[in-house]
Amino acid sequence: MNRTAALPGPDSLLRRGLGEWRIALVAWRLLVLQNAHPAVGAGVARFSTYRAHPWRRIEHTMDSGSRLFFSDRDGLRREIARLDRSHRRIRGTDAQGRPFTAEDPEVRAWVLITLYESVTAMRELSGSPYTPAELDQLYGEFRAVCAEFGLPGHVLPATAADVPAYVENTIRDTLEYGQAVHHLLFEMLHRAPVPSRLRRLEPAWPLLRTLAAHTLRMLTLADLPPAFLERFDLPRTRSARLLSWTLHHGMRQVMTRLPDRLRYRTPPTGTEPSPAPAEDSLPVAPARVPRPRRPRRADTRRARLETFFRQVLDQTGDGYVGSADLQAMAHNVCWQLELTPEREAEVYAAFDTWWEHIRTTMDTDDDGRVDRAEFVTAMLAGVDRDPGYLDQGLQVAVRALFQAADTDGSGYLSADEYRTVFGGSRVHPAELNHGFRQLDTDGDGRISEKEFLQAFTDYFTARTDTAAGSRLLGRA
């Protein structure tokens, strides 16, 4: 493919289609189609944090799409390079013993094509399909972006007219109804935590979540391609068809009458989103993870460790910590800081070191993963036995986190640098300010590496909640 073709601009069909708020109506459909590819499903099952942090992962996915399709060429190439570095680590063997890798050109082609296909599906389902000429224009704009991925020319359909057959053949010959698809359709929303923007509705969230899950499942099953429903014998009820028709046609009538500032989530002008701080990342959102309430004089370490395991370490939400969880934490650090490839490699290496320390000192049953009991027991025994226990694993990752966050290379974290790493949409500014002051023990308005490391040491070793570092992950 020609890598010098002009990228879509503000007036392009592609930007207008992808940027509309109503693209959200087909977003779950898009995820189902992508995850039905066996390589994608295997990667999600092993590496994804959707189960534990669904809203953060969805936000990352949407932001990545904005960077790919709404940036200039330099921004697009930076995002592709970032994805290349992340995908390089997503490889292994699935439950059937088949090797998979996220770098497979056929897999990447399918993921990209589903984005284009979702835009056309949105228009078709709303009763306003693109004309053949518009489809040619839209696909040409899409191919211009895809050209920057350097994929072999044969992996993508040659023309817009070839896309429907490509999608149907892939559905019939390649896709599978695996664990990831079932989780998206029938389980994920029933367990999802309240989104940050709906925190005020938290008391009613269990009921709202059930209603949302039922509605989204009906909509998705109504909107999936007929070949998909037929192959996997999925129901498409009359009530689901009515729901789909009402939502898509109603949203078209509303959205097409709104001014652009209300119609588009990402403006067609292509304003590149600033990197959004991740929620509940690693030690990447210290100010976010709640500290359990315990009597002031009691030994509160066990409660803190259990909270840390559940809300920080277990990124994939399966009740265990493995190498994928530590890689996910490293990814979240690198994502929000937009590091150079060299600095990113240092962060991943540090988290790999932390994982090896966890595995060798905590995996008592040698199953290649660590559960909460193993983690808490080994951590308490380790810090009681050896003052340098944390230096061998955790502190290696913490030091790498500090050095990555120190974007100006001053040897200190300023308040702004601290907010970039530890902030998030679920963290109140007052809580961030409090956290910064707690770590700034000498009160000079900045955090040194020594203060940073000591705070994490205190969190894991202080027997009561009176030490400043014991409040690292928020106030009670």
Side-chain angles (χ1 to χ4, degrees), residues 267-324:
T269 51
T271 302
E272 186 172 346
S274 59
E279 298 175 4
D280 307 326
S281 311
L282 142 92
V284 189
R288 193 46 242 137
V289 182
R291 179 176 55 80
R293 293 180 181 272
R294 287 295 185 275
R296 205 173 180 85
R297 295 182 181 178
D299 187 340
T300 56
R301 291 179 301 170
R302 180 175 294 275
R304 290 201 301 268
L305 291 173
E306 289 179 347
T307 300
F308 187 84
F309 180 94
R310 184 176 63 254
Q311 297 193 24
V312 178
L313 272 183
D314 183 14
Q315 290 283 303
T316 54
D318 61 357
Y320 297 89
V321 169
S323 60

Side-chain angles (χ1 to χ4, degrees), residues 49 52 85 94 130 215 217 224 232 341 352 361 373 431 437 443:
T49 63
R85 294 193 296 273
D94 68 14
Y130 290 108
T215 301
R217 180 171 64 251
L224 282 165
F232 302 116
D352 286 342
T361 63
E431 190 174 6
R437 289 194 300 270

Side-chain angles (χ1 to χ4, degrees), residues 167-180:
V167 171
E168 183 158 342
N169 290 336
T170 302
I171 289 173
R172 297 191 183 281
D173 299 338
T174 305
L175 301 193
E176 297 176 354
Y177 184 87
Q179 178 186 2

Side-chain angles (χ1 to χ4, degrees), residues 16-87:
R16 291 191 174 277
L18 285 172
E20 279 200 63
W21 278 106
R22 61 181 171 134
I23 195 71
L25 292 176
V26 293
W28 218 257
R29 174 187 182 278
L30 164 69
L31 291 175
V32 169
L33 288 175
Q34 290 182 343
N35 282 270
H37 193 291
V40 177
V44 166
R46 182 168 176 182
F47 295 99
S48 178
T49 63
Y50 270 111
R51 287 176 177 80
H53 307 289
W55 310 122
R56 186 189 70 200
R57 294 306 307 143
I58 290 171
E59 189 70 23
H60 278 197
T61 300
M62 296 175 70
D63 283 346
S64 182
S66 296
R67 295 167 190 267
L68 290 174
F69 294 99
F70 293 82
S71 299
D72 58 19
R73 199 174 300 276
D74 287 342
L76 168 61
R77 289 177 175 174
R78 284 197 305 271
E79 181 61 18
I80 291 174
R82 189 211 314 266
L83 292 172
D84 285 344
R85 294 193 296 273
S86 297
H87 289 163

Side-chain angles (χ1 to χ4, degrees), residues 151-186:
L151 298 173
H154 70 277
V155 299
L156 290 172
T159 69
D162 298 320
V163 172
Y166 166 86
V167 171
E168 183 158 342
N169 290 336
T170 302
I171 289 173
R172 297 191 183 281
D173 299 338
T174 305
L175 301 193
E176 297 176 354
Y177 184 87
Q179 178 186 2
V181 172
H182 183 81
H183 180 70
L184 283 167
L185 287 175
F186 297 101

Side-chain angles (χ1 to χ4, degrees), residues 13 116 129-139 160-161:
L13 293 176
Y116 164 83
Y130 290 108
T131 67
E134 288 175 328
L135 286 173
D136 287 340
Q137 178 183 338
L138 179 71
Y139 193 60

Side-chain angles (χ1 to χ4, degrees), residues 289-449:
V289 182
R291 179 176 55 80
R293 293 180 181 272
R294 287 295 185 275
R296 205 173 180 85
R297 295 182 181 178
D299 187 340
T300 56
R301 291 179 301 170
R302 180 175 294 275
R304 290 201 301 268
L305 291 173
E306 289 179 347
T307 300
F308 187 84
F309 180 94
R310 184 176 63 254
Q311 297 193 24
V312 178
L313 272 183
D314 183 14
Q315 290 283 303
T316 54
D318 61 357
Y320 297 89
V321 169
S323 60
D325 296 282
L326 276 296
Q327 286 190 22
M329 285 193 247
H331 169 78
N332 290 326
V333 173
C334 298
W335 173 270
Q336 53 199 38
L337 293 174
E338 296 195 53
L339 303 176
T340 64
E342 295 76 20
R343 181 55 61 86
E344 185 173 296
E346 293 172 1
V347 171
Y348 272 97
F351 279 82
D352 286 342
T353 297
W354 186 15
W355 161 242
E356 281 304 306
H357 184 249
I358 290 174
R359 183 185 63 80
T360 56
T361 63
M362 300 180 183
D363 183 14
T364 55
D365 57 7
D366 293 322
D367 64 350
R369 57 185 185 175
V370 173
D371 63 25
R372 186 169 58 183
E374 288 176 319
F375 172 77
V376 173
T377 300
M379 182 65 76
L380 289 173
V383 297
D384 284 342
R385 179 185 66 251
D386 179 8
Y389 181 77
L390 298 179
D391 297 341
Q392 303 166 39
L394 172 72
Q395 297 290 32
V396 175
V398 172
R399 188 172 288 106
L401 172 59
F402 178 91
Q403 292 170 358
D406 179 21
T407 53
D408 62 4
S410 66
Y412 296 88
L413 293 189
S414 66
D416 287 342
E417 289 171 329
Y418 177 86
R419 292 187 190 100
T420 299
V421 180
F422 296 113
S425 57
R426 301 172 79 180
V427 185
H428 194 279
E431 190 174 6
L432 275 174
N433 293 337
H434 174 80
F436 184 84
R437 289 194 300 270
Q438 288 293 321
L439 270 65
D440 179 20
T441 55
D442 61 6
D444 66 351
R446 57 187 185 175
I447 299 170
S448 68
E449 183 173 325

